[in-house]
Amino acid sequence: MITYKFLKYYNFEESSLLNWTYSYTIDDLIYALKNFNCIGSDFLQKPNPLWEYSNSHIRFHGKVAMQKYIDNTATNKELEADKKDLISRISYLKEKFLKIVQSEKSKLYIYKIKSKDINNTIHSKILDLLNSLKFLGAKNFKLLIVAEKENLKKF
């Protein structure tokens, strides 16, 4: 994760809604941004090991140790407490994200293109991602698209 690298190498620890999420594809991220109010309100699926929203497929880390999810040793009480805490944190991070996105402060958004993202529509999807940020009121930002070395030629 890019956020982890910033934390590790630069001691940069600003947390935002999408800093610690995982999305399967660029389509899932675009859907989440276009349906921003659904994040935190649609059904949250049991972790495996990340909690996943069914509509957007955006995944979040809970606080219960991942190994407990992987080993299936987390109790129902732990799962419910983790879910409740996560819903609360997501609500807070959504508000914070919108404030940052809509501020005049200069921002850099980074999206790492995955192999499964790369097809003949990827360029239009990148524009759709850019427009989804603008739809949320994003101001004064740049969007950096990063591709792994083996995907550069395809991209």
Side-chain angles (χ1 to χ4, degrees), residues 13-21 36 39-40 59-61 63 85-101 136:
E13 199 173 357
E14 181 64 31
S15 208
S16 180
L17 178 68
L18 300 178
N19 288 81
W20 299 99
T21 62
F36 191 75
I39 299 174
R59 302 173 111 196
F60 294 90
H61 288 276
K63 288 189 176 178
D85 176 69
L86 184 58
I87 290 169
S88 174
R89 276 189 290 127
I90 289 170
S91 177
Y92 165 76
L93 288 172
K94 277 176 63 177
E95 287 178 33
K96 183 177 177 183
F97 178 80
L98 284 177
K99 283 181 187 174
I100 292 169
V101 123
L136 288 173

Side-chain angles (χ1 to χ4, degrees), residues 1-16:
M1 292 175 116
I2 293 170
T3 300
Y4 175 73
K5 298 291 183 191
F6 275 104
L7 175 63
K8 183 177 177 182
Y9 295 108
Y10 304 108
N11 203 24
F12 176 80
E13 199 173 357
E14 181 64 31
S15 208
S16 180

Side-chain angles (χ1 to χ4, degrees), residues 7 12 21 29 31 33 45-46 50 55-56 59 61 65 67 70 87 94 108 115 118 146 150:
L7 175 63
F12 176 80
T21 62
L29 180 57
Y31 179 90
L33 292 173
Q45 297 178 15
K46 185 178 176 184
L50 303 175
N55 290 336
S56 63
R59 302 173 111 196
H61 288 276
Q67 196 60 46
I70 294 167
I87 290 169
K94 277 176 63 177
L108 174 65
S115 294
I118 299 175
V146 178
E150 61 268 13

